[in-house]
Short mmCIF file of all heavy atoms in Angstrom, two decimals:
data_model
loop_
_atom_site.label_atom_id
_atom_site.label_comp_id
_atom_site.label_asym_id
_atom_site.label_seq_id
_atom_site.Cartn_x
_atom_site.Cartn_y
_atom_site.Cartn_z
N LYS A 151 52.65 27.53 -6.36
CA LYS A 151 52.89 27.73 -4.95
C LYS A 151 52.62 29.17 -4.50
O LYS A 151 52.94 29.51 -3.37
CB LYS A 151 54.28 27.26 -4.56
CG LYS A 151 54.51 25.82 -4.73
CD LYS A 151 55.88 25.40 -4.25
CE LYS A 151 56.11 23.86 -4.55
NZ LYS A 151 57.40 23.45 -4.13
N TRP A 152 52.08 30.05 -5.34
CA TRP A 152 51.77 31.41 -4.97
C TRP A 152 50.28 31.53 -4.96
O TRP A 152 49.51 30.95 -5.82
CB TRP A 152 52.39 32.41 -5.97
CG TRP A 152 53.87 32.47 -5.86
CD1 TRP A 152 54.77 31.73 -6.58
CD2 TRP A 152 54.64 33.27 -4.96
NE1 TRP A 152 56.06 32.08 -6.21
CE2 TRP A 152 55.96 33.00 -5.23
CE3 TRP A 152 54.29 34.24 -4.03
CZ2 TRP A 152 57.02 33.64 -4.54
CZ3 TRP A 152 55.28 34.86 -3.33
CH2 TRP A 152 56.69 34.56 -3.60
N TRP A 153 49.72 32.43 -4.11
CA TRP A 153 48.24 32.61 -4.09
C TRP A 153 47.96 34.01 -4.68
O TRP A 153 48.71 34.98 -4.47
CB TRP A 153 47.80 32.62 -2.60
CG TRP A 153 47.84 31.25 -1.99
CD1 TRP A 153 48.86 30.76 -1.28
CD2 TRP A 153 46.83 30.26 -2.16
NE1 TRP A 153 48.54 29.42 -0.93
CE2 TRP A 153 47.33 29.11 -1.47
CE3 TRP A 153 45.62 30.17 -2.74
CZ2 TRP A 153 46.60 27.94 -1.37
CZ3 TRP A 153 44.84 29.04 -2.67
CH2 TRP A 153 45.36 27.92 -1.97
N TYR A 154 46.91 34.04 -5.49
CA TYR A 154 46.49 35.27 -6.14
C TYR A 154 44.99 35.47 -5.97
O TYR A 154 44.23 34.51 -5.97
CB TYR A 154 46.79 35.22 -7.65
CG TYR A 154 48.21 35.06 -7.96
CD1 TYR A 154 48.71 33.76 -8.16
CD2 TYR A 154 49.07 36.11 -8.10
CE1 TYR A 154 50.08 33.59 -8.49
CE2 TYR A 154 50.37 35.98 -8.45
CZ TYR A 154 50.91 34.68 -8.60
OH TYR A 154 52.20 34.50 -8.96
N ARG A 155 44.58 36.73 -5.80
CA ARG A 155 43.16 37.07 -5.75
C ARG A 155 42.59 36.93 -7.17
O ARG A 155 43.25 37.42 -8.13
CB ARG A 155 42.93 38.51 -5.23
CG ARG A 155 43.24 38.72 -3.82
CD ARG A 155 42.76 39.96 -3.23
NE ARG A 155 43.26 41.14 -3.96
CZ ARG A 155 42.82 42.37 -3.70
NH1 ARG A 155 41.89 42.59 -2.80
NH2 ARG A 155 43.28 43.34 -4.36
N VAL A 156 41.41 36.40 -7.27
CA VAL A 156 40.78 36.27 -8.57
C VAL A 156 39.21 36.51 -8.42
O VAL A 156 38.69 36.33 -7.37
CB VAL A 156 40.96 34.90 -9.24
CG1 VAL A 156 42.47 34.72 -9.61
CG2 VAL A 156 40.49 33.78 -8.39
N VAL A 157 38.61 36.84 -9.57
CA VAL A 157 37.17 36.89 -9.67
C VAL A 157 36.82 35.84 -10.74
O VAL A 157 37.44 35.82 -11.85
CB VAL A 157 36.66 38.26 -10.14
CG1 VAL A 157 35.16 38.26 -10.28
CG2 VAL A 157 37.12 39.39 -9.15
N ILE A 158 35.85 34.98 -10.41
CA ILE A 158 35.47 33.97 -11.42
C ILE A 158 34.73 34.70 -12.53
O ILE A 158 33.75 35.36 -12.30
CB ILE A 158 34.59 32.87 -10.83
CG1 ILE A 158 35.38 32.07 -9.70
CG2 ILE A 158 34.10 31.88 -11.86
CD1 ILE A 158 34.56 31.08 -8.92
N HIS A 159 35.26 34.63 -13.71
CA HIS A 159 34.72 35.33 -14.89
C HIS A 159 33.64 34.50 -15.59
O HIS A 159 32.60 34.98 -15.91
CB HIS A 159 35.86 35.72 -15.82
CG HIS A 159 35.44 36.62 -16.93
ND1 HIS A 159 34.92 37.88 -16.78
CD2 HIS A 159 35.41 36.42 -18.30
CE1 HIS A 159 34.65 38.44 -17.96
NE2 HIS A 159 34.88 37.53 -18.88
N ARG A 160 34.02 33.23 -15.77
CA ARG A 160 32.98 32.30 -16.35
C ARG A 160 33.39 30.89 -16.05
O ARG A 160 34.60 30.60 -15.93
CB ARG A 160 32.79 32.52 -17.83
CG ARG A 160 33.98 32.27 -18.73
CD ARG A 160 33.72 32.62 -20.13
NE ARG A 160 34.92 32.53 -20.88
CZ ARG A 160 35.13 31.70 -21.99
NH1 ARG A 160 34.13 31.08 -22.45
NH2 ARG A 160 36.25 31.66 -22.60
N VAL A 161 32.40 29.99 -16.01
CA VAL A 161 32.65 28.61 -15.83
C VAL A 161 32.80 27.96 -17.23
O VAL A 161 31.99 28.07 -18.11
CB VAL A 161 31.53 27.94 -15.08
CG1 VAL A 161 31.74 26.44 -14.91
CG2 VAL A 161 31.31 28.55 -13.72
N ILE A 162 33.95 27.31 -17.43
CA ILE A 162 34.25 26.70 -18.75
C ILE A 162 33.60 25.31 -18.86
O ILE A 162 32.91 25.03 -19.78
CB ILE A 162 35.80 26.54 -18.99
CG1 ILE A 162 36.52 27.88 -18.83
CG2 ILE A 162 36.08 25.92 -20.32
CD1 ILE A 162 36.20 28.90 -19.89
N ASN A 163 33.83 24.49 -17.90
CA ASN A 163 33.35 23.09 -17.86
C ASN A 163 33.34 22.58 -16.39
O ASN A 163 33.52 23.38 -15.48
CB ASN A 163 34.07 22.22 -18.86
CG ASN A 163 35.53 22.13 -18.57
OD1 ASN A 163 36.00 22.15 -17.40
ND2 ASN A 163 36.35 22.20 -19.61
N ASP A 164 33.14 21.28 -16.22
CA ASP A 164 33.19 20.67 -14.91
C ASP A 164 34.49 20.83 -14.20
O ASP A 164 34.57 20.80 -12.93
CB ASP A 164 32.82 19.22 -15.02
CG ASP A 164 31.40 18.98 -15.34
OD1 ASP A 164 30.56 19.93 -15.29
OD2 ASP A 164 31.03 17.87 -15.73
N GLN A 165 35.56 21.04 -14.89
CA GLN A 165 36.91 21.08 -14.29
C GLN A 165 37.57 22.45 -14.29
O GLN A 165 38.48 22.67 -13.51
CB GLN A 165 37.85 20.10 -15.05
CG GLN A 165 37.37 18.66 -15.11
CD GLN A 165 37.36 18.01 -13.75
OE1 GLN A 165 38.25 18.26 -12.93
NE2 GLN A 165 36.26 17.25 -13.44
N GLU A 166 37.15 23.37 -15.19
CA GLU A 166 37.89 24.56 -15.35
C GLU A 166 36.95 25.80 -15.32
O GLU A 166 35.80 25.78 -15.63
CB GLU A 166 38.59 24.58 -16.76
CG GLU A 166 39.61 23.52 -16.85
CD GLU A 166 40.27 23.50 -18.28
OE1 GLU A 166 39.51 23.62 -19.22
OE2 GLU A 166 41.49 23.34 -18.35
N VAL A 167 37.61 26.93 -14.87
CA VAL A 167 36.89 28.25 -14.88
C VAL A 167 37.92 29.26 -15.47
O VAL A 167 39.11 29.07 -15.42
CB VAL A 167 36.49 28.69 -13.45
CG1 VAL A 167 35.39 27.82 -12.92
CG2 VAL A 167 37.66 28.66 -12.51
N GLU A 168 37.30 30.30 -16.00
CA GLU A 168 38.17 31.45 -16.44
C GLU A 168 38.07 32.45 -15.31
O GLU A 168 37.01 32.80 -14.85
CB GLU A 168 37.65 32.02 -17.72
CG GLU A 168 38.53 33.11 -18.29
CD GLU A 168 38.05 33.64 -19.66
OE1 GLU A 168 36.82 33.78 -19.86
OE2 GLU A 168 38.92 33.90 -20.49
N VAL A 169 39.22 32.93 -14.86
CA VAL A 169 39.29 33.92 -13.75
C VAL A 169 39.96 35.24 -14.22
O VAL A 169 40.76 35.17 -15.12
CB VAL A 169 39.99 33.31 -12.55
CG1 VAL A 169 39.29 32.15 -11.93
CG2 VAL A 169 41.47 32.92 -12.86
N PHE A 170 39.58 36.28 -13.56
CA PHE A 170 40.17 37.58 -13.76
C PHE A 170 40.98 37.95 -12.56
O PHE A 170 40.54 37.79 -11.45
CB PHE A 170 39.06 38.60 -13.95
CG PHE A 170 39.57 40.03 -13.95
CD1 PHE A 170 40.33 40.52 -15.00
CD2 PHE A 170 39.27 40.92 -12.90
CE1 PHE A 170 40.87 41.79 -15.02
CE2 PHE A 170 39.74 42.18 -12.91
CZ PHE A 170 40.55 42.67 -13.90
N TYR A 171 42.18 38.36 -12.77
CA TYR A 171 43.13 38.74 -11.73
C TYR A 171 42.94 40.25 -11.45
O TYR A 171 43.50 41.04 -12.23
CB TYR A 171 44.58 38.42 -12.09
CG TYR A 171 44.89 36.97 -12.14
CD1 TYR A 171 44.55 36.18 -13.26
CD2 TYR A 171 45.50 36.29 -11.04
CE1 TYR A 171 44.86 34.80 -13.28
CE2 TYR A 171 45.78 34.93 -11.08
CZ TYR A 171 45.46 34.24 -12.18
OH TYR A 171 45.73 32.92 -12.27
N PRO A 172 42.30 40.68 -10.37
CA PRO A 172 42.05 42.16 -10.18
C PRO A 172 43.30 42.91 -9.87
O PRO A 172 43.29 44.10 -9.96
CB PRO A 172 41.03 42.14 -9.06
CG PRO A 172 41.24 40.87 -8.29
CD PRO A 172 41.63 39.89 -9.33
N ASP A 173 44.36 42.21 -9.50
CA ASP A 173 45.63 42.96 -9.17
C ASP A 173 46.60 43.01 -10.37
O ASP A 173 47.58 43.65 -10.20
CB ASP A 173 46.29 42.25 -7.94
CG ASP A 173 45.37 42.31 -6.74
OD1 ASP A 173 44.75 43.37 -6.48
OD2 ASP A 173 45.24 41.25 -6.04
N TYR A 174 46.24 42.27 -11.38
CA TYR A 174 47.13 42.27 -12.62
C TYR A 174 46.36 42.66 -13.87
O TYR A 174 46.97 43.06 -14.84
CB TYR A 174 47.73 40.84 -12.78
CG TYR A 174 48.68 40.54 -11.60
CD1 TYR A 174 48.21 39.86 -10.47
CD2 TYR A 174 49.99 40.89 -11.66
CE1 TYR A 174 49.03 39.60 -9.44
CE2 TYR A 174 50.84 40.61 -10.60
CZ TYR A 174 50.35 39.94 -9.51
OH TYR A 174 51.21 39.72 -8.44
N GLY A 175 45.06 42.37 -13.93
CA GLY A 175 44.27 42.82 -15.05
C GLY A 175 44.13 41.80 -16.20
O GLY A 175 43.63 42.18 -17.25
N ASN A 176 44.51 40.54 -15.98
CA ASN A 176 44.46 39.55 -17.01
C ASN A 176 43.49 38.42 -16.73
O ASN A 176 43.07 38.27 -15.62
CB ASN A 176 45.87 38.95 -17.27
CG ASN A 176 46.40 38.23 -16.03
OD1 ASN A 176 46.55 38.83 -15.00
ND2 ASN A 176 46.67 36.96 -16.21
N LEU A 177 43.09 37.70 -17.73
CA LEU A 177 42.22 36.59 -17.65
C LEU A 177 43.10 35.30 -17.82
O LEU A 177 44.07 35.31 -18.55
CB LEU A 177 41.19 36.54 -18.76
CG LEU A 177 40.07 37.60 -18.65
CD1 LEU A 177 39.31 37.59 -19.94
CD2 LEU A 177 39.13 37.30 -17.49
N GLU A 178 42.66 34.21 -17.18
CA GLU A 178 43.35 32.90 -17.28
C GLU A 178 42.37 31.79 -16.98
O GLU A 178 41.49 31.93 -16.16
CB GLU A 178 44.54 32.88 -16.33
CG GLU A 178 45.43 31.71 -16.53
CD GLU A 178 46.66 31.77 -15.56
OE1 GLU A 178 46.53 31.84 -14.35
OE2 GLU A 178 47.78 31.70 -16.18
N ILE A 179 42.56 30.67 -17.62
CA ILE A 179 41.81 29.52 -17.29
C ILE A 179 42.54 28.68 -16.27
O ILE A 179 43.74 28.38 -16.45
CB ILE A 179 41.50 28.66 -18.57
CG1 ILE A 179 40.59 29.52 -19.52
CG2 ILE A 179 40.80 27.30 -18.21
CD1 ILE A 179 40.38 28.87 -20.90
N VAL A 180 41.84 28.31 -15.20
CA VAL A 180 42.47 27.53 -14.14
C VAL A 180 41.52 26.37 -13.77
O VAL A 180 40.33 26.40 -14.07
CB VAL A 180 42.77 28.42 -12.83
CG1 VAL A 180 43.70 29.52 -13.17
CG2 VAL A 180 41.48 28.92 -12.22
N ARG A 181 42.06 25.42 -13.02
CA ARG A 181 41.31 24.29 -12.54
C ARG A 181 40.44 24.73 -11.35
O ARG A 181 40.90 25.46 -10.49
CB ARG A 181 42.20 23.13 -12.19
CG ARG A 181 43.04 22.62 -13.35
CD ARG A 181 43.74 21.34 -13.09
NE ARG A 181 42.92 20.22 -12.78
CZ ARG A 181 42.17 19.57 -13.74
NH1 ARG A 181 42.22 19.92 -14.97
NH2 ARG A 181 41.43 18.51 -13.37
N LYS A 182 39.20 24.20 -11.25
CA LYS A 182 38.39 24.54 -10.15
C LYS A 182 38.95 24.09 -8.86
O LYS A 182 38.80 24.72 -7.80
CB LYS A 182 36.96 23.86 -10.27
CG LYS A 182 36.09 24.45 -11.35
CD LYS A 182 34.73 23.74 -11.32
CE LYS A 182 33.73 24.31 -12.35
NZ LYS A 182 32.47 23.62 -12.36
N SER A 183 39.66 23.00 -8.84
CA SER A 183 40.26 22.49 -7.62
C SER A 183 41.36 23.36 -7.04
O SER A 183 41.74 23.27 -5.87
CB SER A 183 40.89 21.07 -7.90
OG SER A 183 41.91 21.13 -8.86
N TRP A 184 41.82 24.36 -7.81
CA TRP A 184 42.81 25.32 -7.34
C TRP A 184 42.22 26.47 -6.58
O TRP A 184 42.94 27.26 -5.98
CB TRP A 184 43.64 25.89 -8.49
CG TRP A 184 44.39 24.86 -9.25
CD1 TRP A 184 44.64 23.52 -8.97
CD2 TRP A 184 45.16 25.13 -10.43
NE1 TRP A 184 45.36 22.93 -9.94
CE2 TRP A 184 45.75 23.87 -10.87
CE3 TRP A 184 45.40 26.21 -11.25
CZ2 TRP A 184 46.52 23.74 -11.97
CZ3 TRP A 184 46.19 26.09 -12.38
CH2 TRP A 184 46.73 24.88 -12.72
N LEU A 185 40.88 26.63 -6.64
CA LEU A 185 40.19 27.75 -6.05
C LEU A 185 39.99 27.59 -4.54
O LEU A 185 39.72 26.47 -4.07
CB LEU A 185 38.82 27.97 -6.68
CG LEU A 185 38.85 28.28 -8.20
CD1 LEU A 185 37.37 28.26 -8.70
CD2 LEU A 185 39.47 29.62 -8.46
N ARG A 186 40.08 28.70 -3.83
CA ARG A 186 39.85 28.69 -2.33
C ARG A 186 39.14 29.94 -1.97
O ARG A 186 39.25 30.97 -2.64
CB ARG A 186 41.13 28.59 -1.60
CG ARG A 186 41.98 27.40 -1.79
CD ARG A 186 41.37 26.15 -1.22
NE ARG A 186 42.25 24.96 -1.32
CZ ARG A 186 42.28 24.19 -2.35
NH1 ARG A 186 41.50 24.39 -3.37
NH2 ARG A 186 43.09 23.14 -2.36
N PHE A 187 38.35 29.91 -0.86
CA PHE A 187 37.74 31.15 -0.37
C PHE A 187 38.87 32.10 0.09
O PHE A 187 39.93 31.60 0.54
CB PHE A 187 36.84 30.79 0.83
CG PHE A 187 35.53 30.19 0.34
CD1 PHE A 187 35.21 28.90 0.78
CD2 PHE A 187 34.64 30.95 -0.36
CE1 PHE A 187 34.01 28.31 0.41
CE2 PHE A 187 33.38 30.36 -0.76
CZ PHE A 187 33.10 29.09 -0.42
N LEU A 188 38.62 33.35 0.03
CA LEU A 188 39.61 34.33 0.42
C LEU A 188 39.21 34.91 1.74
O LEU A 188 38.04 35.13 2.08
CB LEU A 188 39.52 35.48 -0.68
CG LEU A 188 40.58 36.57 -0.67
CD1 LEU A 188 42.00 35.94 -0.90
CD2 LEU A 188 40.31 37.55 -1.86
N LYS A 189 40.22 35.11 2.63
CA LYS A 189 39.98 35.73 3.90
C LYS A 189 39.38 37.14 3.76
O LYS A 189 39.81 37.83 2.81
CB LYS A 189 41.28 35.77 4.73
CG LYS A 189 41.79 34.45 5.23
CD LYS A 189 43.05 34.65 6.10
CE LYS A 189 43.47 33.32 6.60
NZ LYS A 189 44.64 33.48 7.48
#
């Protein structure tokens, strides 16, 4: 339920991507369906 800025680091498969959190400095794998455009 929280929104975070991310940079897509790499596409893992059809469902997942690895993202970099520019405000925290870590990488994490998330579902593509969780991604949204940023204002």
Side-chain angles (χ1 to χ4, degrees):
K151 298 182 182 180
W152 290 92
W153 290 95
Y154 299 93
R155 292 192 302 174
V156 295
V157 178
I158 298 173
H159 188 63
R160 65 185 172 124
V161 177
I162 304 291
N163 55 41
D164 291 343
Q165 303 295 318
E166 297 175 318
V167 292
E168 185 175 39
V169 296
F170 170 70
Y171 291 81
D173 299 317
Y174 295 91
N176 61 301
L177 289 169
E178 185 175 60
I179 295 174
V180 299
R181 301 190 62 75
K182 285 183 181 180
S183 62
W184 298 354
L185 299 173
R186 298 289 185 273
F187 285 116
L188 191 59
K189 288 184 177 183

